[in-house]
Short mmCIF file of all heavy atoms in Angstrom, two decimals:
data_model
loop_
_atom_site.label_atom_id
_atom_site.label_comp_id
_atom_site.label_asym_id
_atom_site.label_seq_id
_atom_site.Cartn_x
_atom_site.Cartn_y
_atom_site.Cartn_z
N GLN A 1004 -1.00 -124.15 -148.09
CA GLN A 1004 -0.27 -124.48 -149.30
C GLN A 1004 0.40 -123.21 -149.85
O GLN A 1004 -0.06 -122.61 -150.82
CB GLN A 1004 -1.21 -125.06 -150.35
CG GLN A 1004 -2.03 -126.25 -149.87
CD GLN A 1004 -1.19 -127.50 -149.68
OE1 GLN A 1004 -0.77 -128.14 -150.63
NE2 GLN A 1004 -0.95 -127.84 -148.42
N THR A 1005 1.50 -122.79 -149.22
CA THR A 1005 2.22 -121.59 -149.66
C THR A 1005 3.71 -121.87 -149.66
O THR A 1005 4.17 -122.95 -149.26
CB THR A 1005 1.93 -120.40 -148.74
OG1 THR A 1005 2.52 -120.66 -147.44
CG2 THR A 1005 0.44 -120.17 -148.58
N PHE A 1006 4.49 -120.88 -150.10
CA PHE A 1006 5.94 -121.00 -150.14
C PHE A 1006 6.59 -120.47 -148.85
O PHE A 1006 7.80 -120.42 -148.76
CB PHE A 1006 6.50 -120.22 -151.35
CG PHE A 1006 6.08 -120.81 -152.67
CD1 PHE A 1006 4.99 -120.29 -153.37
CD2 PHE A 1006 6.74 -121.90 -153.20
CE1 PHE A 1006 4.60 -120.83 -154.58
CE2 PHE A 1006 6.35 -122.46 -154.41
CZ PHE A 1006 5.28 -121.92 -155.10
N ARG A 1007 5.76 -120.06 -147.91
CA ARG A 1007 6.33 -119.51 -146.67
C ARG A 1007 7.03 -120.62 -145.89
O ARG A 1007 6.54 -121.75 -145.80
CB ARG A 1007 5.23 -118.90 -145.80
CG ARG A 1007 4.55 -117.71 -146.44
CD ARG A 1007 3.68 -116.94 -145.45
NE ARG A 1007 2.66 -117.79 -144.81
CZ ARG A 1007 2.58 -117.97 -143.50
NH1 ARG A 1007 3.46 -117.42 -142.69
NH2 ARG A 1007 1.62 -118.72 -143.00
N TRP A 1008 8.15 -120.27 -145.27
CA TRP A 1008 8.91 -121.28 -144.54
C TRP A 1008 8.16 -121.77 -143.31
O TRP A 1008 8.34 -122.89 -142.86
CB TRP A 1008 10.27 -120.71 -144.11
CG TRP A 1008 10.17 -119.64 -143.06
CD1 TRP A 1008 10.02 -118.31 -143.25
CD2 TRP A 1008 10.19 -119.86 -141.65
NE1 TRP A 1008 9.94 -117.66 -142.04
CE2 TRP A 1008 10.06 -118.59 -141.04
CE3 TRP A 1008 10.32 -120.98 -140.83
CZ2 TRP A 1008 10.03 -118.41 -139.65
CZ3 TRP A 1008 10.31 -120.82 -139.46
CH2 TRP A 1008 10.16 -119.53 -138.88
N ASN A 1009 7.25 -120.91 -142.76
CA ASN A 1009 6.49 -121.31 -141.57
C ASN A 1009 5.01 -121.51 -141.90
O ASN A 1009 4.13 -121.13 -141.14
CB ASN A 1009 6.64 -120.26 -140.48
CG ASN A 1009 6.12 -118.90 -140.90
OD1 ASN A 1009 5.98 -118.64 -142.10
ND2 ASN A 1009 5.84 -118.02 -139.94
N ALA A 1010 4.73 -122.12 -143.06
CA ALA A 1010 3.34 -122.37 -143.46
C ALA A 1010 2.61 -123.14 -142.36
O ALA A 1010 3.16 -124.05 -141.74
CB ALA A 1010 3.31 -123.14 -144.77
N TYR A 1011 1.34 -122.78 -142.14
CA TYR A 1011 0.59 -123.33 -141.01
C TYR A 1011 0.08 -124.75 -141.29
O TYR A 1011 -0.45 -125.04 -142.36
CB TYR A 1011 -0.60 -122.44 -140.69
CG TYR A 1011 -1.53 -123.03 -139.65
CD1 TYR A 1011 -1.20 -123.02 -138.31
CD2 TYR A 1011 -2.74 -123.63 -140.02
CE1 TYR A 1011 -2.04 -123.56 -137.35
CE2 TYR A 1011 -3.59 -124.17 -139.08
CZ TYR A 1011 -3.23 -124.14 -137.74
OH TYR A 1011 -4.06 -124.69 -136.80
N SER A 1012 0.23 -125.61 -140.33
CA SER A 1012 -0.40 -126.93 -140.31
C SER A 1012 -0.96 -127.13 -138.91
O SER A 1012 -0.22 -126.98 -137.93
CB SER A 1012 0.59 -128.04 -140.64
OG SER A 1012 0.89 -128.06 -142.01
N GLY A 1013 -2.24 -127.41 -138.82
CA GLY A 1013 -2.83 -127.52 -137.50
C GLY A 1013 -4.03 -128.44 -137.45
O GLY A 1013 -4.54 -128.89 -138.47
N VAL A 1014 -4.48 -128.72 -136.22
CA VAL A 1014 -5.62 -129.59 -135.96
C VAL A 1014 -6.85 -128.72 -135.74
O VAL A 1014 -6.86 -127.84 -134.87
CB VAL A 1014 -5.36 -130.48 -134.73
CG1 VAL A 1014 -6.57 -131.38 -134.45
CG2 VAL A 1014 -4.11 -131.32 -134.93
N LEU A 1015 -7.89 -128.94 -136.52
CA LEU A 1015 -9.13 -128.17 -136.41
C LEU A 1015 -10.17 -128.87 -135.54
O LEU A 1015 -11.27 -128.35 -135.38
CB LEU A 1015 -9.72 -127.91 -137.80
CG LEU A 1015 -8.81 -127.20 -138.81
CD1 LEU A 1015 -9.59 -126.88 -140.08
CD2 LEU A 1015 -8.20 -125.94 -138.22
N GLY A 1016 -9.83 -130.01 -135.01
CA GLY A 1016 -10.76 -130.72 -134.13
C GLY A 1016 -10.48 -132.20 -134.09
O GLY A 1016 -9.97 -132.78 -135.06
N ILE A 1017 -10.80 -132.81 -132.97
CA ILE A 1017 -10.63 -134.26 -132.75
C ILE A 1017 -12.01 -134.85 -132.49
O ILE A 1017 -12.84 -134.25 -131.80
CB ILE A 1017 -9.70 -134.51 -131.56
CG1 ILE A 1017 -8.34 -133.83 -131.79
CG2 ILE A 1017 -9.49 -136.01 -131.32
CD1 ILE A 1017 -7.46 -133.80 -130.56
N TRP A 1018 -12.27 -136.03 -133.05
CA TRP A 1018 -13.57 -136.68 -132.93
C TRP A 1018 -14.03 -136.68 -131.47
O TRP A 1018 -13.33 -137.17 -130.58
CB TRP A 1018 -13.52 -138.09 -133.46
CG TRP A 1018 -14.64 -138.99 -133.07
CD1 TRP A 1018 -14.52 -140.21 -132.45
CD2 TRP A 1018 -16.05 -138.77 -133.25
NE1 TRP A 1018 -15.77 -140.76 -132.24
CE2 TRP A 1018 -16.73 -139.90 -132.73
CE3 TRP A 1018 -16.80 -137.74 -133.81
CZ2 TRP A 1018 -18.11 -140.01 -132.75
CZ3 TRP A 1018 -18.19 -137.86 -133.83
CH2 TRP A 1018 -18.82 -138.98 -133.30
N HIS A 1019 -15.26 -136.12 -131.25
CA HIS A 1019 -15.75 -135.94 -129.89
C HIS A 1019 -17.12 -136.58 -129.68
O HIS A 1019 -17.27 -137.48 -128.85
CB HIS A 1019 -15.83 -134.44 -129.58
CG HIS A 1019 -16.21 -134.14 -128.17
ND1 HIS A 1019 -15.38 -134.39 -127.10
CD2 HIS A 1019 -17.35 -133.59 -127.63
CE1 HIS A 1019 -15.96 -134.02 -125.98
NE2 HIS A 1019 -17.17 -133.54 -126.27
N GLU A 1020 -18.14 -136.13 -130.44
CA GLU A 1020 -19.50 -136.62 -130.22
C GLU A 1020 -20.37 -136.34 -131.44
O GLU A 1020 -19.96 -135.65 -132.37
CB GLU A 1020 -20.12 -135.94 -129.00
CG GLU A 1020 -20.30 -134.45 -129.18
CD GLU A 1020 -20.94 -133.77 -127.98
OE1 GLU A 1020 -21.38 -134.47 -127.06
OE2 GLU A 1020 -21.00 -132.52 -127.97
N TRP A 1021 -21.58 -136.89 -131.39
CA TRP A 1021 -22.55 -136.66 -132.46
C TRP A 1021 -23.42 -135.45 -132.13
O TRP A 1021 -23.57 -135.08 -130.95
CB TRP A 1021 -23.46 -137.88 -132.63
CG TRP A 1021 -22.79 -139.06 -133.28
CD1 TRP A 1021 -22.23 -140.14 -132.65
CD2 TRP A 1021 -22.62 -139.27 -134.68
NE1 TRP A 1021 -21.72 -141.00 -133.57
CE2 TRP A 1021 -21.94 -140.51 -134.84
CE3 TRP A 1021 -22.97 -138.55 -135.82
CZ2 TRP A 1021 -21.62 -141.04 -136.08
CZ3 TRP A 1021 -22.64 -139.07 -137.06
CH2 TRP A 1021 -21.97 -140.30 -137.18
N GLU A 1022 -24.01 -134.87 -133.16
CA GLU A 1022 -25.10 -133.92 -132.96
C GLU A 1022 -26.39 -134.65 -133.36
O GLU A 1022 -26.50 -135.17 -134.47
CB GLU A 1022 -24.92 -132.67 -133.82
CG GLU A 1022 -26.08 -131.70 -133.68
CD GLU A 1022 -25.82 -130.38 -134.35
OE1 GLU A 1022 -25.06 -129.56 -133.81
OE2 GLU A 1022 -26.36 -130.17 -135.46
N ILE A 1023 -27.34 -134.70 -132.44
CA ILE A 1023 -28.58 -135.45 -132.65
C ILE A 1023 -29.77 -134.51 -132.60
O ILE A 1023 -29.92 -133.73 -131.67
CB ILE A 1023 -28.74 -136.55 -131.58
CG1 ILE A 1023 -27.57 -137.54 -131.67
CG2 ILE A 1023 -30.06 -137.28 -131.74
CD1 ILE A 1023 -27.57 -138.61 -130.59
N THR A 1024 -30.62 -134.58 -133.62
CA THR A 1024 -31.84 -133.78 -133.70
C THR A 1024 -32.95 -134.64 -134.27
O THR A 1024 -32.77 -135.30 -135.29
CB THR A 1024 -31.65 -132.55 -134.60
OG1 THR A 1024 -30.50 -131.81 -134.16
CG2 THR A 1024 -32.87 -131.64 -134.55
N ASN A 1025 -34.10 -134.65 -133.59
CA ASN A 1025 -35.26 -135.41 -134.07
C ASN A 1025 -34.92 -136.88 -134.36
O ASN A 1025 -35.21 -137.40 -135.45
CB ASN A 1025 -35.85 -134.75 -135.33
CG ASN A 1025 -36.40 -133.37 -135.05
OD1 ASN A 1025 -36.87 -133.10 -133.95
ND2 ASN A 1025 -36.33 -132.49 -136.03
N ASN A 1026 -34.29 -137.53 -133.40
CA ASN A 1026 -33.97 -138.95 -133.51
C ASN A 1026 -33.06 -139.24 -134.71
O ASN A 1026 -33.09 -140.31 -135.30
CB ASN A 1026 -35.26 -139.78 -133.63
CG ASN A 1026 -35.00 -141.28 -133.60
OD1 ASN A 1026 -33.97 -141.73 -133.10
ND2 ASN A 1026 -35.92 -142.06 -134.14
N THR A 1027 -32.22 -138.30 -135.08
CA THR A 1027 -31.36 -138.46 -136.25
C THR A 1027 -29.96 -137.92 -135.97
O THR A 1027 -29.82 -136.86 -135.36
CB THR A 1027 -31.95 -137.71 -137.46
OG1 THR A 1027 -33.29 -138.16 -137.69
CG2 THR A 1027 -31.13 -137.95 -138.71
N PHE A 1028 -28.95 -138.67 -136.42
CA PHE A 1028 -27.57 -138.17 -136.33
C PHE A 1028 -27.39 -137.08 -137.39
O PHE A 1028 -27.39 -137.35 -138.59
CB PHE A 1028 -26.57 -139.30 -136.59
CG PHE A 1028 -26.59 -140.38 -135.54
CD1 PHE A 1028 -27.20 -141.60 -135.79
CD2 PHE A 1028 -25.98 -140.19 -134.32
CE1 PHE A 1028 -27.21 -142.61 -134.83
CE2 PHE A 1028 -25.98 -141.19 -133.34
CZ PHE A 1028 -26.60 -142.40 -133.61
N ARG A 1029 -27.23 -135.83 -136.95
CA ARG A 1029 -27.15 -134.70 -137.89
C ARG A 1029 -25.72 -134.35 -138.27
O ARG A 1029 -25.48 -133.77 -139.33
CB ARG A 1029 -27.84 -133.47 -137.29
CG ARG A 1029 -29.34 -133.61 -137.19
CD ARG A 1029 -29.96 -133.78 -138.57
NE ARG A 1029 -31.43 -133.84 -138.50
CZ ARG A 1029 -32.20 -134.13 -139.52
NH1 ARG A 1029 -31.66 -134.38 -140.70
NH2 ARG A 1029 -33.51 -134.18 -139.39
N GLY A 1030 -24.77 -134.64 -137.42
CA GLY A 1030 -23.39 -134.27 -137.74
C GLY A 1030 -22.41 -134.80 -136.72
O GLY A 1030 -22.79 -135.28 -135.64
N MET A 1031 -21.13 -134.73 -137.08
CA MET A 1031 -20.05 -135.18 -136.21
C MET A 1031 -19.31 -133.94 -135.70
O MET A 1031 -18.86 -133.11 -136.49
CB MET A 1031 -19.08 -136.08 -136.98
CG MET A 1031 -19.74 -137.29 -137.63
SD MET A 1031 -18.57 -138.30 -138.60
CE MET A 1031 -17.59 -139.02 -137.28
N TRP A 1032 -19.17 -133.84 -134.39
CA TRP A 1032 -18.44 -132.73 -133.80
C TRP A 1032 -17.00 -133.14 -133.52
O TRP A 1032 -16.74 -134.13 -132.86
CB TRP A 1032 -19.10 -132.26 -132.52
CG TRP A 1032 -20.17 -131.25 -132.74
CD1 TRP A 1032 -21.52 -131.44 -132.66
CD2 TRP A 1032 -19.98 -129.87 -133.08
NE1 TRP A 1032 -22.18 -130.28 -132.94
CE2 TRP A 1032 -21.27 -129.29 -133.20
CE3 TRP A 1032 -18.86 -129.07 -133.30
CZ2 TRP A 1032 -21.45 -127.95 -133.52
CZ3 TRP A 1032 -19.05 -127.74 -133.62
CH2 TRP A 1032 -20.32 -127.19 -133.73
N MET A 1033 -16.08 -132.35 -134.05
CA MET A 1033 -14.66 -132.51 -133.79
C MET A 1033 -14.23 -131.34 -132.91
O MET A 1033 -14.26 -130.18 -133.34
CB MET A 1033 -13.87 -132.50 -135.11
CG MET A 1033 -14.38 -133.49 -136.14
SD MET A 1033 -13.93 -135.18 -135.70
CE MET A 1033 -14.38 -136.06 -137.18
N ARG A 1034 -13.83 -131.60 -131.69
CA ARG A 1034 -13.50 -130.54 -130.75
C ARG A 1034 -12.04 -130.66 -130.30
O ARG A 1034 -11.32 -131.55 -130.71
CB ARG A 1034 -14.43 -130.57 -129.54
CG ARG A 1034 -15.93 -130.50 -129.91
CD ARG A 1034 -16.77 -130.29 -128.66
NE ARG A 1034 -18.19 -130.47 -128.91
CZ ARG A 1034 -19.00 -129.53 -129.37
NH1 ARG A 1034 -18.52 -128.33 -129.64
NH2 ARG A 1034 -20.30 -129.77 -129.54
N ASP A 1035 -11.63 -129.71 -129.41
CA ASP A 1035 -10.29 -129.72 -128.81
C ASP A 1035 -9.19 -129.65 -129.84
O ASP A 1035 -8.17 -130.34 -129.74
CB ASP A 1035 -10.11 -130.96 -127.92
CG ASP A 1035 -11.13 -131.03 -126.80
OD1 ASP A 1035 -11.44 -129.97 -126.25
OD2 ASP A 1035 -11.63 -132.13 -126.51
N GLY A 1036 -9.37 -128.80 -130.86
CA GLY A 1036 -8.32 -128.58 -131.84
C GLY A 1036 -7.26 -127.64 -131.30
O GLY A 1036 -7.19 -127.37 -130.08
N ASP A 1037 -6.42 -127.10 -132.19
CA ASP A 1037 -5.38 -126.17 -131.77
C ASP A 1037 -5.98 -124.93 -131.12
O ASP A 1037 -7.11 -124.54 -131.39
CB ASP A 1037 -4.53 -125.76 -132.97
CG ASP A 1037 -3.66 -126.89 -133.48
OD1 ASP A 1037 -3.55 -127.92 -132.77
OD2 ASP A 1037 -3.09 -126.76 -134.58
N SER A 1038 -5.20 -124.30 -130.26
CA SER A 1038 -5.64 -123.09 -129.57
C SER A 1038 -5.89 -121.97 -130.58
O SER A 1038 -5.16 -121.82 -131.56
CB SER A 1038 -4.61 -122.64 -128.53
OG SER A 1038 -4.44 -123.64 -127.54
N CYS A 1039 -6.93 -121.18 -130.30
CA CYS A 1039 -7.29 -120.07 -131.18
C CYS A 1039 -8.01 -119.02 -130.35
O CYS A 1039 -9.16 -119.23 -129.94
CB CYS A 1039 -8.18 -120.57 -132.32
SG CYS A 1039 -8.79 -119.28 -133.42
N ARG A 1040 -7.32 -117.92 -130.06
CA ARG A 1040 -7.92 -116.83 -129.30
C ARG A 1040 -8.51 -117.29 -127.97
O ARG A 1040 -9.70 -117.15 -127.71
CB ARG A 1040 -8.96 -116.10 -130.14
CG ARG A 1040 -8.39 -115.48 -131.41
CD ARG A 1040 -9.42 -114.63 -132.12
NE ARG A 1040 -8.88 -114.04 -133.35
CZ ARG A 1040 -9.55 -113.22 -134.14
NH1 ARG A 1040 -10.80 -112.90 -133.84
NH2 ARG A 1040 -8.99 -112.73 -135.24
N ALA A 1041 -7.71 -117.90 -127.18
CA ALA A 1041 -8.08 -118.33 -125.82
C ALA A 1041 -9.09 -119.47 -125.80
O ALA A 1041 -9.67 -119.77 -124.76
CB ALA A 1041 -8.60 -117.16 -125.00
N ARG A 1042 -9.34 -120.13 -126.93
CA ARG A 1042 -10.20 -121.32 -126.94
C ARG A 1042 -9.65 -122.29 -127.97
O ARG A 1042 -8.65 -122.03 -128.63
CB ARG A 1042 -11.64 -120.95 -127.26
CG ARG A 1042 -11.84 -120.25 -128.60
CD ARG A 1042 -13.31 -120.05 -128.87
NE ARG A 1042 -13.56 -119.33 -130.11
CZ ARG A 1042 -14.74 -119.23 -130.68
NH1 ARG A 1042 -15.78 -119.85 -130.14
NH2 ARG A 1042 -14.90 -118.56 -131.80
N SER A 1043 -10.31 -123.43 -128.10
CA SER A 1043 -9.84 -124.46 -129.03
C SER A 1043 -10.65 -124.42 -130.32
O SER A 1043 -11.85 -124.13 -130.30
CB SER A 1043 -9.96 -125.85 -128.39
OG SER A 1043 -9.12 -125.95 -127.26
N ARG A 1044 -9.99 -124.71 -131.42
CA ARG A 1044 -10.69 -124.80 -132.70
C ARG A 1044 -11.61 -126.03 -132.67
O ARG A 1044 -11.30 -127.04 -132.04
CB ARG A 1044 -9.70 -124.93 -133.85
CG ARG A 1044 -8.74 -123.75 -133.97
CD ARG A 1044 -7.74 -123.97 -135.10
NE ARG A 1044 -6.69 -122.96 -135.08
CZ ARG A 1044 -6.73 -121.80 -135.73
NH1 ARG A 1044 -7.80 -121.53 -136.48
NH2 ARG A 1044 -5.75 -120.93 -135.66
N GLN A 1045 -12.74 -125.94 -133.36
CA GLN A 1045 -13.65 -127.06 -133.44
C GLN A 1045 -14.33 -127.07 -134.80
O GLN A 1045 -14.44 -126.03 -135.46
CB GLN A 1045 -14.69 -127.01 -132.33
CG GLN A 1045 -15.52 -125.73 -132.29
CD GLN A 1045 -16.52 -125.74 -131.16
OE1 GLN A 1045 -16.94 -126.81 -130.68
NE2 GLN A 1045 -16.94 -124.58 -130.70
N SER A 1046 -14.80 -128.25 -135.22
CA SER A 1046 -15.40 -128.41 -136.53
C SER A 1046 -16.65 -129.28 -136.41
O SER A 1046 -16.67 -130.25 -135.66
CB SER A 1046 -14.42 -129.07 -137.52
OG SER A 1046 -13.23 -128.31 -137.63
N LYS A 1047 -17.65 -128.93 -137.21
CA LYS A 1047 -18.84 -129.76 -137.32
C LYS A 1047 -18.90 -130.31 -138.74
O LYS A 1047 -18.83 -129.55 -139.71
CB LYS A 1047 -20.11 -128.96 -137.03
CG LYS A 1047 -21.38 -129.79 -137.21
CD LYS A 1047 -22.63 -128.94 -137.09
CE LYS A 1047 -23.88 -129.73 -137.47
NZ LYS A 1047 -25.11 -128.92 -137.40
#
Side-chain angles (χ1 to χ4, degrees):
Q1004 306 289 287
T1005 68
F1006 294 97
R1007 296 192 304 121
W1008 68 271
N1009 61 340
Y1011 173 77
S1012 285
V1014 179
L1015 303 186
I1017 303 169
W1018 163 235
H1019 185 69
E1020 64 179 352
W1021 287 96
E1022 177 171 284
I1023 299 176
T1024 307
N1025 296 329
N1026 186 22
T1027 304
F1028 294 103
R1029 291 299 183 187
M1031 304 177 71
W1032 273 105
M1033 307 286 190
R1034 305 190 191 275
D1035 301 321
D1037 290 348
S1038 298
C1039 176
R1040 299 187 181 182
R1042 58 175 177 168
S1043 297
R1044 300 178 190 269
Q1045 57 180 335
S1046 302
K1047 177 187 172 182

